[in-house]
Amino acid sequence: MLREWKPIRSECIQHFRIFDLMRETYISPRTGDQYPFYILQTMDWVNIIPLTSDHHVVMIRQFRAGIRSFTLEIPGGLVDSSDGSPLKAARREMCEETGYDSDEIFSLGMAHPNPAFMNNRCYTFFARNVCRIGEQKLDIGEDIDVCLIPLEKISELIQNGEITHSLVLNAFQWFMNSECRKKVPGE
Amino acid sequence: MLREWKPIRSECIQHFRIFDLMRETYISPRTGDQYPFYILQTMDWVNIIPLTSDHHVVMIRQFRAGIRSFTLEIPGGLVDSSDGSPLKAARREMCEETGYDSDEIFSLGMAHPNPAFMNNRCYTFFARNVCRIGEQKLDIGEDIDVCLIPLEKISELIQNGEITHSLVLNAFQWFMNSECRKKVPGE
């Protein structure tokens, strides 16, 4: 039986560039005690698998300060208030981070990055027949290498631990299981 | 060509119960500017898929303050300094959160929950032939319902959006693709 946690108060401890740190206090239905949860309130996220007509995934390598190392990922980022929708945000991030674009974009799924202490969602998309349309437009905190990875190599890169970002793993999981596979000509 | 981000300074802004909030400043190799990244430094995480001998996954429903709602997940939590290993932490969390145990535990994989702003890893395990050995031992911030879900229902629960935690999705992805499937008698 799922019992309600009664909210007592919600306080913003500090604002940061990409999240607000909140302390939200509830009464535990099991013990009756007040208990403070620390929550990161942030915008929704998006990521997107861009696939060329010859079955290469347009991936990015970049420095990730969290792990002080370089990663292999797909494009993605925050949904800005000006984007209008997660799909438009994903397309914008794909264009900015890789210089590739397509208007054939399909939804793959949604995940909660961490419902225990983050309020946001990550929406994942697939872009078919992407083409290079111009230069990258990078933010000040970005330095991104674009690399074209054959689609058939992705499973190996996951098994080898070259792709480790949980939300990128989610994206490929959905893609491999989805109807979108059938939309890739010649697959 | 991947260029080094030169670290300038690392400051702890605030300590919290489960993470330290850090500001780490680097020089961008692309622009030469100083750029501060905000990082959550925390312990590694674990999660585990407990499977009974009759092919039910021992799952948990609980309130998640991040999304102010209830979720369906597998057991998991932080690796404590006293655990000794991620495997032991996963087994401890399984016992505490569900009251089920097994000594047949296999590694499924590792993910970075978010390498952009978190330093930690999540290690995922599979426990075979779990049995109920006693009562739950819950933390003050927990109120957990245990539910036995037939293994063959999991894909449907993922597709329906009943299972949305990114790290739980990773766990089932690895399990479905792994050799561990072959260790489930009668599957």
Side-chain angles (χ1 to χ4, degrees):
Chain A
M1 193 199 57
L2 295 169
R3 296 177 290 192
E4 189 196 1
W5 287 68
K6 191 175 165 197
I8 299 296
R9 77 185 76 89
S10 173
E11 308 147 88
C12 181
I13 295 177
Q14 208 166 340
H15 296 281
F16 294 94
R17 191 174 55 226
I18 57 166
F19 55 80
D20 290 340
L21 181 60
M22 310 290 295
R23 181 169 47 221
E24 307 210 320
T25 305
Y26 289 83
I27 292 180
S28 163
R30 186 171 61 83
T31 70
D33 293 310
Q34 289 196 14
Y35 189 80
F37 293 95
Y38 291 90
I39 311 292
L40 302 189
Q41 247 180 26
T42 183
M43 309 295 285
D44 286 333
W45 296 337
V46 288
N47 62 12
I48 184 163
I49 297 177
L51 195 70
T52 64
S53 59
D54 64 348
H55 308 161
H56 284 70
V57 183
V58 183
M59 297 191 72
I60 60 179
R61 283 190 199 276
Q62 65 187 319
F63 178 71
R64 287 305 209 175
I67 60 170
R68 299 178 181 177
S69 184
F70 293 88
T71 60
L72 181 62
E73 302 183 17
I74 55 176
L78 296 176
V79 180
D80 288 340
S81 52
S82 62
D83 281 319
S85 74
L87 187 149
K88 287 177 185 168
R91 185 173 181 184
R92 176 184 53 71
E93 288 286 352
M94 172 172 68
C95 294
E96 289 175 359
E97 294 189 338
T98 71
Y100 283 71
D101 191 22
S102 164
D103 61 2
E104 300 176 60
I105 299 180
F106 307 91
S107 172
L108 288 175
M110 182 281 291
H112 287 111
N114 197 315
F117 78 103
M118 301 183 68
N119 70 319
N120 69 337
R121 297 171 171 220
C122 180
Y123 295 92
T124 296
F125 298 91
F126 160 58
R128 185 171 62 171
N129 293 330
V130 299
C131 294
R132 189 150 191 281
I133 56 151
E135 300 299 318
Q136 294 167 302
K137 291 175 192 154
L138 299 179
D139 291 337
I140 185 170
E142 293 177 329
D143 182 37
I144 291 176
D145 263 22
V146 174
C147 37
L148 298 182
I149 307 284
L151 181 58
E152 74 264 20
K153 292 275 184 200
I154 296 295
S155 294
E156 187 184 320
L157 290 168
I158 291 172
Q159 276 167 8
N160 292 352
E162 297 253 351
I163 299 172
T164 60
H165 189 315
S166 65
L167 298 167
V168 179
L169 295 172
N170 289 163
F172 283 117
Q173 172 184 24
W174 281 318
F175 179 73
M176 299 303 177
N177 292 337
S178 81
E179 289 296 306
C180 291
R181 270 315 272 267
K182 299 180 187 158
K183 299 193 177 107
V184 180
E187 263 280 299
Chain B
M1 193 201 55
L2 296 168
R3 296 176 290 191
E4 190 196 0
W5 287 68
K6 193 176 163 195
I8 299 296
R9 76 184 78 86
S10 173
E11 309 146 88
C12 180
I13 296 176
Q14 207 167 339
H15 296 280
F16 294 95
R17 191 173 54 225
I18 58 166
F19 56 80
D20 289 340
L21 180 60
M22 310 291 294
R23 179 169 49 221
E24 307 210 322
T25 305
Y26 289 83
I27 293 180
S28 163
R30 187 171 61 83
T31 70
D33 294 310
Q34 290 196 14
Y35 189 81
F37 293 95
Y38 291 90
I39 310 292
L40 302 190
Q41 247 178 28
T42 184
M43 309 296 284
D44 286 333
W45 296 339
V46 288
N47 62 13
I48 184 164
I49 297 177
L51 195 70
T52 65
S53 59
D54 63 348
H55 308 162
H56 285 70
V57 183
V58 183
M59 297 191 72
I60 60 179
R61 283 190 200 276
Q62 65 187 318
F63 177 71
R64 287 305 206 175
I67 61 170
R68 299 178 179 176
S69 183
F70 293 88
T71 60
L72 181 62
E73 301 182 20
I74 55 175
L78 296 176
V79 180
D80 288 340
S81 52
S82 62
D83 282 319
S85 73
L87 187 149
K88 287 176 185 166
R91 185 174 181 181
R92 175 184 53 71
E93 288 286 352
M94 172 172 70
C95 294
E96 289 175 359
E97 294 189 339
T98 70
Y100 282 71
D101 191 22
S102 164
D103 62 3
E104 301 175 61
I105 299 180
F106 307 90
S107 172
L108 287 175
M110 181 281 291
H112 287 111
N114 197 314
F117 77 104
M118 301 184 68
N119 70 319
N120 70 336
R121 297 171 171 221
C122 180
Y123 295 93
T124 295
F125 298 92
F126 159 59
R128 184 171 63 171
N129 292 331
V130 298
C131 294
R132 189 150 189 281
I133 56 152
E135 299 299 317
Q136 293 168 302
K137 291 174 192 156
L138 299 179
D139 292 336
I140 186 170
E142 292 177 330
D143 181 37
I144 291 176
D145 263 23
V146 174
C147 36
L148 298 182
I149 308 284
L151 181 58
E152 74 264 20
K153 292 275 184 201
I154 296 295
S155 294
E156 187 184 320
L157 291 168
I158 291 172
Q159 276 166 9
N160 292 352
E162 297 253 352
I163 299 172
T164 60
H165 190 314
S166 65
L167 298 167
V168 179
L169 296 171
N170 289 161
F172 283 118
Q173 172 183 23
W174 281 318
F175 179 73
M176 299 305 178
N177 293 335
S178 81
E179 289 297 305
C180 291
R181 272 313 273 266
K182 299 179 188 159
K183 298 191 178 110
V184 181
E187 263 278 298

CSV table of all heavy atoms in Angstrom, one decimal, chain A residues 133-170:
chain,number,residue,atom,x,y,z
A,133,ILE,N,25.1,20.4,-42.7
A,133,ILE,CA,24.6,21.6,-43.3
A,133,ILE,C,25.4,22.8,-43.0
A,133,ILE,O,25.2,23.9,-43.5
A,133,ILE,CB,23.1,21.9,-42.7
A,133,ILE,CG1,23.2,21.9,-41.2
A,133,ILE,CG2,22.2,20.9,-43.3
A,133,ILE,CD1,22.1,22.8,-40.6
A,134,GLY,N,26.4,22.7,-42.1
A,134,GLY,CA,27.2,23.9,-41.8
A,134,GLY,C,28.2,23.6,-40.6
A,134,GLY,O,28.4,22.4,-40.3
A,135,GLU,N,28.7,24.6,-40.0
A,135,GLU,CA,29.6,24.5,-38.9
A,135,GLU,C,28.9,24.3,-37.6
A,135,GLU,O,27.7,24.6,-37.5
A,135,GLU,CB,30.5,25.8,-38.8
A,135,GLU,CG,31.3,26.1,-40.1
A,135,GLU,CD,32.3,25.0,-40.4
A,135,GLU,OE1,32.9,24.5,-39.4
A,135,GLU,OE2,32.4,24.7,-41.6
A,136,GLN,N,29.6,23.8,-36.6
A,136,GLN,CA,29.1,23.7,-35.3
A,136,GLN,C,28.9,25.1,-34.7
A,136,GLN,O,29.6,26.1,-35.1
A,136,GLN,CB,30.1,23.0,-34.4
A,136,GLN,CG,30.3,21.5,-34.6
A,136,GLN,CD,31.5,21.0,-33.9
A,136,GLN,OE1,32.6,21.5,-34.1
A,136,GLN,NE2,31.4,20.0,-33.1
A,137,LYS,N,28.0,25.3,-33.7
A,137,LYS,CA,27.9,26.5,-33.0
A,137,LYS,C,28.0,26.2,-31.5
A,137,LYS,O,27.0,25.8,-30.9
A,137,LYS,CB,26.5,27.2,-33.3
A,137,LYS,CG,26.4,27.7,-34.7
A,137,LYS,CD,25.0,28.2,-35.0
A,137,LYS,CE,24.8,28.4,-36.5
A,137,LYS,NZ,23.4,28.3,-36.9
A,138,LEU,N,29.2,26.3,-31.0
A,138,LEU,CA,29.4,25.7,-29.6
A,138,LEU,C,29.3,26.8,-28.6
A,138,LEU,O,29.6,28.0,-28.8
A,138,LEU,CB,30.8,25.1,-29.6
A,138,LEU,CG,31.0,24.0,-30.6
A,138,LEU,CD1,32.5,23.4,-30.5
A,138,LEU,CD2,30.0,22.8,-30.3
A,139,ASP,N,28.8,26.3,-27.4
A,139,ASP,CA,28.7,27.2,-26.2
A,139,ASP,C,30.2,27.4,-25.7
A,139,ASP,O,31.1,26.6,-26.0
A,139,ASP,CB,27.9,26.5,-25.1
A,139,ASP,CG,26.4,26.5,-25.5
A,139,ASP,OD1,26.0,27.3,-26.3
A,139,ASP,OD2,25.7,25.6,-24.9
A,140,ILE,N,30.3,28.3,-24.8
A,140,ILE,CA,31.7,28.6,-24.3
A,140,ILE,C,32.3,27.4,-23.5
A,140,ILE,O,33.5,27.2,-23.6
A,140,ILE,CB,31.6,29.9,-23.4
A,140,ILE,CG1,33.0,30.3,-22.9
A,140,ILE,CG2,30.7,29.7,-22.2
A,140,ILE,CD1,33.1,31.7,-22.3
A,141,GLY,N,31.4,26.6,-22.9
A,141,GLY,CA,31.9,25.5,-22.1
A,141,GLY,C,32.1,24.2,-23.0
A,141,GLY,O,32.3,23.1,-22.4
A,142,GLU,N,32.0,24.3,-24.3
A,142,GLU,CA,32.1,23.1,-25.1
A,142,GLU,C,33.3,23.2,-26.1
A,142,GLU,O,33.6,24.2,-26.6
A,142,GLU,CB,30.8,23.0,-26.0
A,142,GLU,CG,29.5,22.8,-25.2
A,142,GLU,CD,28.3,22.7,-26.1
A,142,GLU,OE1,28.2,23.5,-27.1
A,142,GLU,OE2,27.4,22.0,-25.7
A,143,ASP,N,33.8,22.0,-26.4
A,143,ASP,CA,34.8,21.8,-27.4
A,143,ASP,C,34.6,20.4,-27.9
A,143,ASP,O,35.0,19.4,-27.2
A,143,ASP,CB,36.3,21.9,-26.8
A,143,ASP,CG,37.3,21.8,-27.9
A,143,ASP,OD1,37.1,22.2,-29.0
A,143,ASP,OD2,38.4,21.2,-27.6
A,144,ILE,N,33.9,20.2,-29.0
A,144,ILE,CA,33.3,19.0,-29.4
A,144,ILE,C,33.9,18.5,-30.7
A,144,ILE,O,33.9,19.2,-31.7
A,144,ILE,CB,31.8,19.1,-29.5
A,144,ILE,CG1,31.2,19.3,-28.1
A,144,ILE,CG2,31.2,17.9,-30.2
A,144,ILE,CD1,29.7,19.6,-28.1
A,145,ASP,N,34.3,17.2,-30.7
A,145,ASP,CA,34.8,16.5,-31.9
A,145,ASP,C,33.6,15.7,-32.4
A,145,ASP,O,33.0,14.9,-31.7
A,145,ASP,CB,35.9,15.6,-31.6
A,145,ASP,CG,37.3,16.2,-31.9
A,145,ASP,OD1,37.3,17.4,-32.0
A,145,ASP,OD2,38.2,15.4,-32.1
A,146,VAL,N,33.3,15.8,-33.7
A,146,VAL,CA,32.2,15.0,-34.3
A,146,VAL,C,32.9,13.8,-34.9
A,146,VAL,O,33.9,13.8,-35.5
A,146,VAL,CB,31.5,15.8,-35.5
A,146,VAL,CG1,30.5,15.0,-36.2
A,146,VAL,CG2,30.8,17.0,-34.9
A,147,CYS,N,32.2,12.6,-34.7
A,147,CYS,CA,32.8,11.4,-35.3
A,147,CYS,C,31.6,10.5,-35.8
A,147,CYS,O,30.6,10.4,-35.2
A,147,CYS,CB,33.7,10.6,-34.4
A,147,CYS,SG,33.2,10.6,-32.7
A,148,LEU,N,31.8,10.0,-37.0
A,148,LEU,CA,30.8,9.2,-37.6
A,148,LEU,C,31.1,7.7,-37.3
A,148,LEU,O,32.2,7.2,-37.7
A,148,LEU,CB,30.8,9.4,-39.1
A,148,LEU,CG,30.5,10.8,-39.6
A,148,LEU,CD1,30.4,10.9,-41.1
A,148,LEU,CD2,29.1,11.3,-39.0
A,149,ILE,N,30.2,7.1,-36.6
A,149,ILE,CA,30.4,5.7,-36.2
A,149,ILE,C,29.4,4.8,-36.9
A,149,ILE,O,28.2,5.0,-36.8
A,149,ILE,CB,30.1,5.6,-34.6
A,149,ILE,CG1,30.9,6.6,-33.9
A,149,ILE,CG2,30.3,4.2,-34.1
A,149,ILE,CD1,32.4,6.3,-33.7
A,150,PRO,N,29.9,3.7,-37.6
A,150,PRO,CA,29.0,2.8,-38.2
A,150,PRO,C,27.9,2.2,-37.2
A,150,PRO,O,28.3,1.8,-36.1
A,150,PRO,CB,29.9,1.7,-38.8
A,150,PRO,CG,31.2,2.3,-38.8
A,150,PRO,CD,31.3,3.3,-37.7
A,151,LEU,N,26.7,2.2,-37.6
A,151,LEU,CA,25.6,1.8,-36.7
A,151,LEU,C,25.9,0.4,-36.2
A,151,LEU,O,25.6,0.1,-35.0
A,151,LEU,CB,24.3,1.8,-37.5
A,151,LEU,CG,23.0,1.4,-36.7
A,151,LEU,CD1,22.8,2.2,-35.4
A,151,LEU,CD2,21.8,1.4,-37.6
A,152,GLU,N,26.5,-0.5,-37.0
A,152,GLU,CA,26.7,-1.9,-36.6
A,152,GLU,C,27.8,-2.0,-35.5
A,152,GLU,O,28.0,-3.1,-34.9
A,152,GLU,CB,27.0,-2.8,-37.8
A,152,GLU,CG,28.3,-2.7,-38.4
A,152,GLU,CD,28.3,-1.7,-39.6
A,152,GLU,OE1,27.4,-0.9,-39.7
A,152,GLU,OE2,29.3,-1.8,-40.4
A,153,LYS,N,28.6,-0.9,-35.3
A,153,LYS,CA,29.6,-0.9,-34.3
A,153,LYS,C,29.1,-0.5,-32.9
A,153,LYS,O,29.8,-0.6,-31.9
A,153,LYS,CB,30.7,0.1,-34.6
A,153,LYS,CG,31.5,-0.2,-35.8
A,153,LYS,CD,32.7,-1.2,-35.5
A,153,LYS,CE,33.6,-1.5,-36.7
A,153,LYS,NZ,34.3,-2.7,-36.5
A,154,ILE,N,27.9,0.0,-32.8
A,154,ILE,CA,27.4,0.6,-31.5
A,154,ILE,C,27.3,-0.5,-30.4
A,154,ILE,O,27.8,-0.2,-29.3
A,154,ILE,CB,26.0,1.3,-31.7
A,154,ILE,CG1,26.1,2.4,-32.7
A,154,ILE,CG2,25.4,1.7,-30.4
A,154,ILE,CD1,27.0,3.6,-32.3
A,155,SER,N,26.8,-1.6,-30.7
A,155,SER,CA,26.7,-2.7,-29.7
A,155,SER,C,28.0,-3.0,-29.1
A,155,SER,O,28.2,-3.2,-27.9
A,155,SER,CB,26.0,-3.9,-30.2
A,155,SER,OG,24.7,-3.7,-30.6
A,156,GLU,N,29.0,-3.1,-30.0
A,156,GLU,CA,30.4,-3.4,-29.5
A,156,GLU,C,30.9,-2.3,-28.6
A,156,GLU,O,31.6,-2.5,-27.6
A,156,GLU,CB,31.3,-3.6,-30.7
A,156,GLU,CG,32.7,-4.0,-30.5
A,156,GLU,CD,33.4,-4.0,-31.8
A,156,GLU,OE1,32.8,-4.4,-32.9
A,156,GLU,OE2,34.6,-3.7,-31.8
A,157,LEU,N,30.7,-1.0,-29.0
A,157,LEU,CA,31.2,0.1,-28.2
A,157,LEU,C,30.5,0.2,-26.8
A,157,LEU,O,31.1,0.6,-25.8
A,157,LEU,CB,30.9,1.4,-28.9
A,157,LEU,CG,31.8,1.6,-30.2
A,157,LEU,CD1,31.3,2.8,-31.0
A,157,LEU,CD2,33.2,1.9,-29.8
A,158,ILE,N,29.2,-0.3,-26.8
A,158,ILE,CA,28.5,-0.4,-25.5
A,158,ILE,C,29.1,-1.5,-24.6
A,158,ILE,O,29.5,-1.3,-23.4
A,158,ILE,CB,27.0,-0.6,-25.7
A,158,ILE,CG1,26.4,0.7,-26.3
A,158,ILE,CG2,26.3,-1.0,-24.3
A,158,ILE,CD1,24.9,0.5,-26.7
A,159,GLN,N,29.3,-2.7,-25.2
A,159,GLN,CA,29.9,-3.8,-24.5
A,159,GLN,C,31.3,-3.5,-24.0
A,159,GLN,O,31.7,-3.9,-22.9
A,159,GLN,CB,29.9,-5.0,-25.4
A,159,GLN,CG,28.6,-5.8,-25.4
A,159,GLN,CD,28.4,-6.8,-26.4
A,159,GLN,OE1,29.4,-7.1,-27.2
A,159,GLN,NE2,27.2,-7.4,-26.6
A,160,ASN,N,32.1,-2.8,-24.8
A,160,ASN,CA,33.5,-2.5,-24.5
A,160,ASN,C,33.6,-1.4,-23.4
A,160,ASN,O,34.7,-1.0,-23.0
A,160,ASN,CB,34.3,-2.0,-25.7
A,160,ASN,CG,34.5,-3.0,-26.7
A,160,ASN,OD1,34.2,-4.2,-26.4
A,160,ASN,ND2,35.0,-2.7,-27.9
A,161,GLY,N,32.5,-0.7,-23.1
A,161,GLY,CA,32.6,0.4,-22.1
A,161,GLY,C,33.1,1.7,-22.7
A,161,GLY,O,33.5,2.6,-22.0
A,162,GLU,N,32.9,1.8,-24.0
A,162,GLU,CA,33.3,3.1,-24.7
A,162,GLU,C,32.1,4.1,-24.6
A,162,GLU,O,32.3,5.3,-24.6
A,162,GLU,CB,33.7,2.9,-26.2
A,162,GLU,CG,34.9,2.0,-26.4
A,162,GLU,CD,36.1,2.8,-26.8
A,162,GLU,OE1,35.9,4.0,-27.1
A,162,GLU,OE2,37.1,2.2,-26.9
A,163,ILE,N,30.9,3.6,-24.6
A,163,ILE,CA,29.7,4.4,-24.4
A,163,ILE,C,29.2,4.1,-23.0
A,163,ILE,O,28.8,2.9,-22.8
A,163,ILE,CB,28.7,4.1,-25.5
A,163,ILE,CG1,29.2,4.4,-26.9
A,163,ILE,CG2,27.4,4.9,-25.2
A,163,ILE,CD1,28.3,4.0,-28.0
A,164,THR,N,29.2,5.1,-22.1
A,164,THR,CA,28.9,4.8,-20.7
A,164,THR,C,27.8,5.7,-20.1
A,164,THR,O,27.3,5.5,-19.0
A,164,THR,CB,30.1,4.9,-19.8
A,164,THR,OG1,30.6,6.2,-19.9
A,164,THR,CG2,31.2,3.9,-20.2
A,165,HIS,N,27.5,6.8,-20.8
A,165,HIS,CA,26.5,7.8,-20.3
A,165,HIS,C,25.1,7.1,-20.3
A,165,HIS,O,24.6,6.6,-21.3
A,165,HIS,CB,26.5,9.0,-21.2
A,165,HIS,CG,25.7,10.1,-20.7
A,165,HIS,ND1,24.4,10.0,-20.2
A,165,HIS,CD2,26.0,11.5,-20.7
A,165,HIS,CE1,24.0,11.2,-19.8
A,165,HIS,NE2,24.9,12.1,-20.1
A,166,SER,N,24.5,7.0,-19.1
A,166,SER,CA,23.3,6.3,-18.9
A,166,SER,C,22.2,6.7,-19.9
A,166,SER,O,21.4,5.8,-20.4
A,166,SER,CB,22.8,6.4,-17.5
A,166,SER,OG,22.4,7.7,-17.2
A,167,LEU,N,22.1,8.0,-20.2
A,167,LEU,CA,21.0,8.4,-21.1
A,167,LEU,C,21.3,8.1,-22.5
A,167,LEU,O,20.4,8.0,-23.4
A,167,LEU,CB,20.8,9.9,-20.9
A,167,LEU,CG,20.3,10.3,-19.4
A,167,LEU,CD1,20.4,11.8,-19.2
A,167,LEU,CD2,18.9,9.8,-19.1
A,168,VAL,N,22.6,8.0,-22.9
A,168,VAL,CA,22.9,7.6,-24.2
A,168,VAL,C,22.7,6.1,-24.4
A,168,VAL,O,22.2,5.6,-25.4
A,168,VAL,CB,24.4,7.9,-24.5
A,168,VAL,CG1,24.8,7.4,-25.9
A,168,VAL,CG2,24.7,9.4,-24.4
A,169,LEU,N,22.9,5.3,-23.3
A,169,LEU,CA,22.6,3.9,-23.4
A,169,LEU,C,21.1,3.7,-23.5
A,169,LEU,O,20.6,2.9,-24.3
A,169,LEU,CB,23.1,3.2,-22.1
A,169,LEU,CG,24.6,3.2,-21.9
A,169,LEU,CD1,25.0,2.7,-20.5
A,169,LEU,CD2,25.3,2.3,-22.9
A,170,ASN,N,20.3,4.5,-22.8
A,170,ASN,CA,18.8,4.4,-22.9
A,170,ASN,C,18.4,4.7,-24.4
A,170,ASN,O,17.6,4.0,-24.9
A,170,ASN,CB,18.2,5.5,-22.1
A,170,ASN,CG,18.2,5.3,-20.6
A,170,ASN,OD1,18.0,6.2,-19.8
A,170,ASN,ND2,18.5,4.1,-20.1
